[in-house]
Amino acid sequence: MEGEPAGGGGGRALTDDEMAALGKEELVRRLRREETEKLAALVQRGRLIQEVNRQLQGHLLEIRELKQVNRRLQDENRELRDLCCFLDNDRQKGKRVAREWQLFGTQASRAVRDDLGGCWQKLAELEGRQEELLRENLALKELCLALEEEWAPRGDASPGGAAPSELGLPPCGPRDLGDGSSSTGSVGSPDQPHLACSPDD
């Protein structure tokens, strides 16, 4: 046939002269073939559209699920942020309490140190006073012994013939020269009145 080479141009459109040169049967055959190809293309297009729609539905479903996951993650993020704020507040309170306790400990230590310093000073003063009293007691005892020795040779030669005991004077006999801690006390101790062993009284 003459129309075969004309129709075999790789599917190109035929000109009017080429179509006029073809026979009726060839034109019908070509028309049916074109219709079949167009129908197959439409069917293929429909399948592609269905596949695209199916993929779109899948993507929409994934987007919906991702939105739910995102919402849940946002809620968890909010809870974690609130928890972090709460823990940070507790940490700040703990730091403030620790600083207050440290300050209290420093002040208490300083107060105890000051009290101990005062106690040590008072103790040193008391020890000094005790040593002074011991020296005074020893001096008074030596004075009493000296007066007693002075009275001893005279015997009854005291004014009016009275002995020291008759004049109301305490006996100045030999005594313990200790630190004045005996149960009877000592002359010149703080808990006894000072009695002068002088004949002028």
Side-chain angles (χ1 to χ4, degrees):
M1 264 184 206
E2 297 179 10
E4 286 297 330
R12 65 181 180 83
L14 299 175
T15 63
D16 293 340
D17 295 337
E18 292 174 346
M19 292 180 65
L22 295 175
K24 182 179 179 181
E25 294 180 357
E26 181 63 22
L27 290 175
V28 171
R29 186 175 64 80
R30 285 176 178 271
L31 180 62
R32 295 292 174 85
R33 187 177 63 186
E34 292 290 336
E35 289 179 352
T36 303
E37 290 178 356
K38 289 183 178 180
L39 182 60
L42 290 175
V43 171
Q44 185 65 23
R45 182 180 178 184
R47 290 177 180 175
L48 290 175
I49 291 175
Q50 289 179 355
E51 181 65 20
V52 170
N53 289 333
R54 187 181 64 80
Q55 291 179 359
L56 287 176
Q57 292 294 330
H59 291 323
L60 290 175
L61 181 61
E62 290 179 359
I63 291 173
R64 192 177 298 111
E65 292 176 353
L66 290 175
K67 285 183 178 180
Q68 293 178 356
V69 172
N70 188 27
R71 189 179 300 110
R72 185 175 68 253
L73 291 176
Q74 287 179 352
D75 295 338
E76 292 179 357
N77 188 20
R78 189 180 302 107
E79 292 177 358
L80 290 174
R81 186 169 57 249
D82 295 340
L83 180 60
C84 289
C85 293
F86 176 75
L87 293 176
D88 185 67
N89 291 334
D90 281 350
R91 184 178 63 84
Q92 295 294 335
K93 291 179 181 178
K95 290 177 63 176
R96 286 196 298 270
V97 171
R99 284 196 299 268
E100 291 175 358
W101 272 107
Q102 185 177 6
L103 180 61
F104 172 76
T106 303
Q107 294 176 351
S109 177
R110 186 182 299 112
V112 170
R113 209 165 38 241
D114 294 341
D115 290 342
L116 285 177
C119 290
W120 284 112
Q121 184 178 0
K122 290 181 180 178
L123 182 60
E125 292 176 356
L126 290 176
E127 289 179 352
R129 181 60 179 166
Q130 183 180 9
E131 292 178 358
E132 183 180 354
L133 290 175
L134 288 175
R135 287 193 298 269
E136 291 180 357
N137 288 341
L138 291 176
L140 289 174
K141 288 179 181 180
E142 292 176 357
L143 178 61
C144 288
L145 288 176
L147 291 175
E148 185 174 321
E149 290 176 357
E150 183 181 354
W151 279 96
R154 299 181 183 181
D156 293 338
S158 61
S165 60
E166 296 177 357
L167 294 176
L169 298 175
C172 296
R175 296 187 182 179
D176 183 14
L177 296 179
D179 57 356
S181 60
S182 62
S183 60
T184 58
S186 61
V187 177
S189 63
D191 54 352
Q192 291 186 359
H194 292 280
L195 298 176
C197 296
S198 174
D200 296 337
D201 290 343

